[in-house]
Amino acid sequence: MFGGYEVYYSLKSDCFFRRYGTIGHICRPIIGIEQIFDEYGCIFLECLGYSPLSLDEITNRILQSLEGDEVEVKKDADTFYSALYEDGFLNKGKTIEETKDAGFSYSTLKGRQYRDFSEKAKNSSASYLVEYSKKYPFLQTFHIELTSKCNERCIHCYIPHEKKDTDIEYDLMMDVLDQCKSLNVMNLIFSGGEAMLHPSFCDFLIRAKDLDFNVTVLTNLTLLNDDIIAALKYKHIAGVNVSLYSMDPQVHDSITCIKGSFQKTKSNILRLIDNNVPVQINCPIMTQNKTSFYEVIKWGQDNKCAVITDYIIMARYDRTNDNLENRLRKDDIKSVIEKIAEYSIPFQENIENNNGIAECRLGGAQPEERICGVALSTMCMVSNGNVFPCPGWQQYVCGNVRESSLKELWLNSKAINYLRTIRVKDFKKCVGCEDYEYCLMCVGQNYNESKDGSLFDIPQITCDAARINHFIVQELRQHTSKT
């Protein structure tokens, strides 16, 4: 009993906690809140679970790791957990039934899906994690291509269509999931090809959730069925990132090259929303949808879905680059960014909060700064077992999980460790560039697009887009300050 009544606490079902060295990270990725804690806080968090525990039970767990007066530890624990409850991470109740987790629901959301309960907590936690990973790289997110096979033939895809022919082996996948668990990975991303084409997709998804991973599925959503919905909703609900290119069926289908794909994708997005499965819409922008993409932003946000846009499509990973025929030209980029600014809530918030568009590059181009987070907290694997730094960069092979463990690759791969040595000063165009904070330069994109596979040869279109982005943001801020 505490304060005259029993108190129970539990983690929310969409809340995840991991310890990385001396720090702990708790987050609810679906709604976009997170916090960082020291070793003392880690002990308190490690004593929680998804099933309700009384404060007495939790206190007894804490005392197994900490010396202290039971009454004082109990008071500290109640204060600590109550604060996390108020911040939205925990369930709390006077009975086990009252502490039951209601789960994610679109009906409880205000505004767009990925909202922030605490902007201060989000900013400080995100920046702290980035800085921590620079000193002590830790594998937080592992991206797995379940299959290279796909039932669409999107004209901008970075995977050559003739190479979409491989499924990951069942036993290999299960072994990789176990390795990720032993490495304390928090986030798994399942992709393809089309991830749902793999015959064991549901098995993989359920196993990943049993191992307490935060799972995101990248998909075109045309193959959704009742079994997949059940697997998505099982235990820790999975997030779904779906490609939607236009609200005009002809435009969308012209990009996927599959007639009727728009209707399937749109109706299945709504079906997931009805089933309270969190959805994020990805909308790459190219020549075909440059005049209609903004309708996707509006439609998604009206349905409480975050919408992510990308106006510089990536070259194919085999450097054939024929898909770049569909890329926006320099003259198109200004009107596209202006439309994004008009409709995208996150873009507008960046303007209001005076943030740079590329948040990892706030502070300008410091010569000794890392260019991005590559090899610091993420790694990827394709269906044949090859491991590489990030999605789309599939020719920069860092090893194979059939020959080396993930731990060995993360710690000892020469390719991975080389990437950790790269700094801003290695990119001649970046040093002193006034557009750096507005640039979405990608090392993998450089590699794919370069004739000789150079990491440092930045395509001119990247620099042009950053300059245009910077100009538009300045204009908007000046207009905002006047009004």
Side-chain angles (χ1 to χ4, degrees), residues 180-416:
C180 287
K181 182 65 176 179
S182 68
L183 283 171
N184 212 25
V185 171
M186 177 186 286
N187 308 306
L188 293 179
I189 300 174
F190 290 173
S191 73
E194 170 48 52
M196 294 179 183
L197 267 177
H198 197 290
S200 299
F201 171 77
C202 290
D203 292 340
F204 296 156
L205 187 54
I206 289 170
R207 177 59 177 165
K209 292 183 179 188
D210 282 338
L211 291 173
D212 188 31
F213 291 113
N214 169 43
V215 185
T216 300
V217 180
L218 308 189
T219 175
N220 60 43
L221 215 53
T222 58
L223 302 176
L224 188 69
N225 57 38
D226 290 342
D227 289 341
I228 292 175
I229 290 176
L232 291 169
K233 296 181 70 173
Y234 173 74
K235 279 192 175 179
H236 312 295
I237 194 164
V240 173
N241 287 13
V242 56
S243 299
L244 186 66
Y245 305 107
S246 174
M247 301 312 296
D248 182 332
Q250 291 186 337
V251 173
H252 177 93
D253 293 356
S254 72
I255 293 173
T256 65
C257 297
I258 301 295
K259 188 175 182 180
S261 60
F262 168 79
Q263 193 56 49
K264 288 182 180 179
T265 296
K266 178 189 173 185
S267 62
N268 283 334
I269 291 173
L270 295 174
R271 189 178 175 189
L272 288 184
I273 291 172
D274 289 341
N275 279 276
N276 287 316
V277 176
V279 180
Q280 174 180 291
I281 296 172
N282 297 334
C283 183
I285 306 167
M286 60 205 87
T287 301
Q288 287 75 6
N289 66 341
K290 65 182 181 183
T291 60
S292 61
F293 76 90
Y294 65 91
E295 295 172 346
V296 175
I297 298 177
K298 185 176 184 302
W299 184 83
Q301 292 176 162
D302 286 346
N303 285 281
K304 299 183 180 179
C305 296
V307 182
I308 306 300
T309 55
D310 178 8
Y311 44 83
I312 305 180
I313 61 175
M314 178 175 277
R316 297 205 197 282
Y317 74 69
D318 64 355
R319 302 207 297 276
T320 54
N321 295 356
D322 54 306
N323 63 327
L324 297 186
E325 296 174 358
N326 307 294
R327 177 188 277 176
L328 295 175
R329 305 298 183 259
K330 179 181 176 180
D331 294 342
D332 298 323
I333 292 176
K334 184 173 184 294
S335 61
V336 163
I337 297 177
E338 287 173 340
K339 280 292 185 183
I340 294 173
E342 181 179 354
Y343 287 94
S344 170
I345 294 173
F347 194 103
Q348 293 163 7
E349 290 178 346
N350 273 327
I351 300 297
E352 293 172 5
N353 296 327
N354 204 34
N355 290 334
I357 302 305
E359 293 184 6
C360 64
R361 293 176 185 153
L362 289 176
Q366 304 300 319
E368 295 300 326
E369 185 61 49
R370 295 181 186 272
I371 198 72
C372 67
V374 69
L376 300 181
S377 61
T378 63
M379 195 160 62
C380 304
M381 185 185 81
V382 290
S383 50
N384 64 10
N386 281 343
V387 170
F388 53 100
C390 54
W393 198 2
Q394 296 187 20
Q395 289 216 345
Y396 191 89
V397 178
C398 303
N400 190 288
V401 292
R402 290 189 175 91
E403 301 166 0
S404 304
S405 69
L406 285 180
K407 183 177 182 179
E408 289 170 341
L409 291 172
W410 182 251
L411 295 177
N412 302 319
S413 165
K414 291 183 179 179
I416 288 288

Side-chain angles (χ1 to χ4, degrees), residues 9-235:
Y9 289 102
S10 66
L11 292 168
K12 287 188 175 292
S13 61
D14 59 0
C15 182
F16 299 88
F17 170 75
R18 295 292 188 274
R19 185 170 183 163
Y20 305 114
T22 59
I23 67 168
H25 180 216
I26 189 171
C27 68
R28 288 183 67 195
I30 288 176
I31 62 171
I33 59 172
E34 58 182 3
Q35 287 189 33
I36 300 295
F37 293 93
D38 60 14
E39 290 184 88
Y40 190 75
C42 287
I43 292 173
F44 278 61
L45 285 166
E46 287 170 339
C47 292
L48 284 177
Y50 294 102
S51 298
L53 293 172
S54 70
L55 188 57
D56 284 335
E57 292 174 302
I58 300 171
T59 301
N60 288 334
R61 290 187 175 190
I62 295 171
L63 289 171
Q64 293 176 22
S65 300
L66 282 178
E67 293 184 2
D69 177 77
E70 181 178 352
V71 174
E72 291 302 317
V73 170
K74 192 172 183 178
K75 287 181 180 179
D76 288 348
D78 192 50
T79 300
F80 182 83
Y81 298 134
S82 291
L84 283 175
Y85 166 74
E86 293 297 330
D87 287 339
F89 294 99
L90 306 184
N91 303 303
K92 178 181 180 181
K94 298 179 182 179
T95 65
I96 291 177
E97 185 64 26
E98 190 178 306
T99 318
K100 185 178 180 181
D101 191 347
F104 172 79
S105 173
Y106 275 91
S107 64
T108 63
L109 295 179
K110 298 177 182 179
R112 74 184 194 282
Q113 178 191 322
Y114 292 91
R115 64 190 179 93
D116 300 325
F117 285 143
S118 171
E119 186 68 27
K120 181 179 179 181
K122 172 182 181 296
N123 286 341
S124 60
S125 299
S127 60
Y128 189 93
L129 273 180
V130 170
E131 292 304 313
Y132 186 84
S133 69
K134 292 175 182 177
K135 297 179 180 178
Y136 313 104
F138 60 92
L139 187 55
Q140 184 183 39
T141 301
F142 194 57
H143 185 135
I144 307 172
E145 178 192 275
L146 303 183
T147 177
S148 60
K149 298 175 182 176
C150 191
N151 60 335
E152 293 185 340
R153 286 294 179 266
C154 297
I155 57 179
H156 64 291
C157 185
Y158 58 72
I159 302 175
H161 296 316
E162 63 274 11
K163 297 182 181 180
K164 297 180 177 181
D165 57 2
T166 307
D167 288 335
I168 193 170
E169 297 169 4
Y170 184 91
D171 290 344
L172 176 62
M173 179 63 180
M174 291 301 186
D175 179 59
V176 167
L177 291 178
D178 289 339
Q179 289 189 56
C180 287
K181 182 65 176 179
S182 68
L183 283 171
N184 212 25
V185 171
M186 177 186 286
N187 308 306
L188 293 179
I189 300 174
F190 290 173
S191 73
E194 170 48 52
M196 294 179 183
L197 267 177
H198 197 290
S200 299
F201 171 77
C202 290
D203 292 340
F204 296 156
L205 187 54
I206 289 170
R207 177 59 177 165
K209 292 183 179 188
D210 282 338
L211 291 173
D212 188 31
F213 291 113
N214 169 43
V215 185
T216 300
V217 180
L218 308 189
T219 175
N220 60 43
L221 215 53
T222 58
L223 302 176
L224 188 69
N225 57 38
D226 290 342
D227 289 341
I228 292 175
I229 290 176
L232 291 169
K233 296 181 70 173
Y234 173 74
K235 279 192 175 179

